[in-house]
Each structure stands twice: as structure tokens, then as C-alpha cells.
Amino acid sequence: MSTSALSLSVLDLIPVRTSQSSAEAIAAAVHLAQSADRLGYTRYWVAEHHNMQAVASTNPPVLIGILAAQTERIRVGSGGVMLPNHSPLVIAEQFGILEAAFPGRIDLGLGRAPGSDPMITALLRSSGAVSEVDAFPRNIADIAALLHPDGALLSLTSGQDYTLHATPAATGMPEIWLLGSSDYSARLAARQGMPYVFANHFAGDGTTAALELYRRGFTPSETLDAPRTILTLNVSVAETRVEALALALPQMQQMARLRSGLPLGPLATVEEAAAAPMAPALLQMIERMAAAWIIDEPGAAAARIRALAAKFGVDEVMLQPIASAHTGADAATAPGRARTLELLAAELFTGEQLAAEELAAV
């Protein structure tokens, strides 16, 4: 791929740091999405996670509506909707409405993971319509059919046909992406002719094998005639590597605790993380993360992103900006994450891209 035309996007879990409310975390996400829109990023996706003190991204369709309404150009979507938690018809209806309200700007990324712990899965099953994990491939196809302007045709046991639409008079449909971190997701995306996002930001060891499986097995579909891929990366960029590491430490500590099964709280500030005692096993995990994630000054970080994009031959790189904030920072902002996006845009976007976005903002 041509590095001069590298497409960059953003994945946001909407982190909630110490002394920050959900309202303030969402306000910070709105500001970050507006910044990404202005800088020329391609997409801004929000995730689905439940009952986590450090994550406000619980309901992608609601958040997408908020973010799309307060941005101008950038595509807004889910990274992703965890389909087994929901009824396929409800997801199709939600994203059909979003596409009607913001035509040509909505992405529906679908995942198979639960997005939380077994207690939340049990609560979802007892309190609303969900779908079986084993039905995931069929449900993806059903959602695509329901979102299509022609709708889906159901054959009833009486022998009659019944037409069903996600929205009455659609003129377009969202882009549907399959998210995954395993061979299963790669094969399914290939078989259904879907664009594929590999979750390299938390499952980097399997990236090469999954992308090779996807490309080798790809079958063209009505909506996609050739493989199309996005690679996700964790990033923290500042004027110096030392500052980038300090900003990334709260998130690395959080991930180390999560992987160790330890209790989690709100995301720490830079100063809180620096003062927090960490067991040797957790420190070893953090060292591995620091080596694998993109944590550096702008030039070096941009070079690593270009190299990874070329190594894996992806069409797009989706960045999860994981920088926290210093104690005392405005709670309705995310200065470390915003600065990461600004510094990388200056390094990775061509002069033509930046000029076009500045013109569009006038």
C-alpha cells in the first residue's frame, strides 16, 4: 500500500478516569470525535462494553447518534456491536435509522464476544431479546438483508411470503464490517465477502495468520469484490517518548489488572499511575505492552504505524488513543488522546489531505 495515502481511523472505548463522570467522559469523546473529523481521520468507532467503571461506551447506537450529530464528515460506527447480546432485527432497525439520519456516514461493525462477564450475559438473557452465539453467521446475513433497500423476504410455514424492512424507504445502508481476533472470524468474513477488522490492539500474535486466512478464502459478495482490511493499534504519542510512556501507564496498568483478574476502577491519572505500587508479575505485563503498543514521539510512532500497515498490507489503520490525563485536567476533555491524534495527523497525512480538510472546515 502507498504510505502517502494511509487512511487512519479512531476506536474509542470512552474511558472514564478518576473524578470524571459519565457525562464528562462522553463530552470528552464528542470533543475528540470533532477533532478527528477536523484532522481528516476516516472513521470514529465506539465499542460495546458493560459494567466497567473505566468504560462509558456501553451502547454503540446511542453514542453513534450523539457523535454523528456533532460532526460533519467523518464516518461514525461501532467497533463493535456484540451481536449475541441483541436481537438482529433491533440492530438492523437502529442502524437503518442512523443511516437515514446521517446518509453515507454510518458503519456497523459486528463482533461475537459478549463484551462483559458471565453475569452481564445472564442478565441480558433474562431481561431482553438476545441471540445465540451459534447463530452469529446467520444473524449477520439477516441484518444485511434487513438493511438492504429491498428488505428481507421471509417464507412462512403457511407457504406465504412476508417482506420485512429495517426502515420503510431506505435509500442506502451502513457499511457492515466483521470484527474479530481469531481464525474463526477471519474465515467467516472471507466466506461472507465482508470487510474485516482484526483486533490487533489486544490479540497481536495472531494477526498474520488471520489476515492470510481472510485473503486466501475471500469470496466476492454483492457489496465487496475484493478483501478489505483494517488493523487496530493502541497508541500514545507526545512530544517526547518519556511523556508518551507516562500518559500510557494508566491504561497499561488497567490492562494488566484485567488480564490478572484483579478488581478494576476508573482509569488513573498520570500522577496516580506513577505512584501506584505494582507487583512484579504486573510489571512484566506492562513491559510487554510498552514494547508492543505504539508509545513514542511523533516521528518514531508514525514510522512504526507505516511499517505495520505495510507489513500486514492493510487498507486502513484504526488507532485506539490510550493516553490518560494529568491530575487537574478539565474533566470534559481528553488532552492526551487529542494530542495523540493531532501529532499523528501532522506526521501521517499528506499536505493535500490536510489542505482539503482545512478547506472543508471553512
Side-chain angles (χ1 to χ4, degrees):
M1 65 179 294
S2 169
T3 56
S4 63
L6 181 61
S7 293
L8 294 182
S9 293
V10 180
L11 174 63
D12 191 1
L13 271 62
I14 313 187
V16 183
R17 61 183 186 265
T18 304
S19 300
Q20 191 180 38
S21 67
S22 294
E24 290 163 336
I26 292 169
V30 170
H31 291 311
L32 194 65
Q34 291 171 333
S35 179
D37 192 19
R38 183 182 69 254
L39 290 167
Y41 285 81
T42 301
R43 308 171 203 279
Y44 196 98
W45 284 6
V46 291
E48 178 185 340
H49 291 283
H50 301 283
N51 198 36
M52 298 181 71
Q53 291 187 52
V55 177
S57 183
T58 57
N59 193 309
V62 172
L63 290 166
I64 289 166
I66 293 168
L67 295 170
Q70 299 192 65
T71 51
E72 299 293 333
R73 171 205 55 84
I74 197 167
R75 297 188 68 92
V76 187
S78 58
V81 165
M82 299 296 104
L83 186 49
N85 294 343
H86 308 282
S87 158
L89 174 58
V90 170
I91 294 301
E93 289 176 335
Q94 289 170 340
F95 279 81
I97 289 172
L98 288 168
E99 174 64 24
F102 308 101
R105 293 184 55 210
I106 301 300
D107 295 329
L108 170 54
L110 294 169
R112 183 169 170 261
S116 191
D117 56 47
M119 289 295 294
I120 294 297
T121 300
L123 179 61
L124 287 167
R125 289 192 173 279
S126 67
S127 61
V130 295
S131 58
E132 297 296 330
V133 172
D134 291 344
F136 185 61
R138 184 181 71 248
N139 289 341
I140 291 174
D142 288 347
I143 287 173
L146 290 165
L147 284 167
H148 195 281
D150 292 339
L153 187 65
L154 305 182
S155 295
L156 305 179
T157 54
S158 64
Q160 294 178 311
D161 289 333
Y162 182 83
T163 303
L164 183 60
H165 295 81
T167 192
T171 56
M173 57 187 293
E175 281 190 4
I176 303 178
W177 293 75
L178 184 63
L179 285 59
S181 58
S182 67
D183 292 356
Y184 171 88
S185 61
R187 289 192 174 96
L188 179 59
R191 187 166 65 248
Q192 298 207 9
M194 298 176 65
Y196 180 51
V197 184
F198 185 80
N200 179 80
H201 66 293
F202 68 82
D205 291 344
T207 305
T208 299
L211 291 177
E212 286 179 354
L213 278 172
Y214 169 67
R215 291 177 179 128
R216 188 166 62 244
F218 184 82
T219 301
S221 65
E222 179 185 346
T223 56
L224 191 64
D225 59 4
R228 189 175 172 200
T229 52
I230 293 177
L231 180 76
T232 62
L233 299 172
N234 291 315
V235 294
S236 173
V237 182
E239 279 73 8
T240 68
R241 175 172 167 76
V242 171
E243 177 64 6
L245 281 165
L247 290 165
L249 183 59
Q251 183 63 34
M252 291 191 289
Q253 289 179 346
Q254 192 86 327
M255 285 301 299
R257 292 189 186 99
L258 177 65
R259 292 174 180 175
S260 302
L262 297 174
L264 302 177
L267 185 68
T269 64
V270 170
E271 289 76 14
E272 290 168 340
M278 301 295 288
L282 299 185
L283 289 173
Q284 290 178 359
M285 289 185 192
I286 289 169
E287 288 174 1
R288 290 194 293 270
M289 290 177 212
W293 296 3
I294 309 295
I295 304 173
D296 220 321
E297 55 84 21
R304 281 191 64 191
I305 292 170
R306 287 193 189 99
L308 287 168
K311 174 183 177 180
F312 295 116
V314 293
D315 303 290
E316 192 172 321
V317 175
M318 181 168 281
L319 311 174
Q320 181 182 198
I322 49 88
S324 187
H326 289 277
T327 300
D330 183 348
T333 67
R337 297 196 294 146
R339 190 62 177 149
T340 290
L341 297 188
E342 291 166 2
L343 292 171
L344 287 176
E347 290 286 336
L348 289 168
F349 292 157
T350 65
E352 291 82 0
Q353 282 176 296
L354 292 173
E357 293 309 320
E358 289 173 0
L359 184 63
V362 173

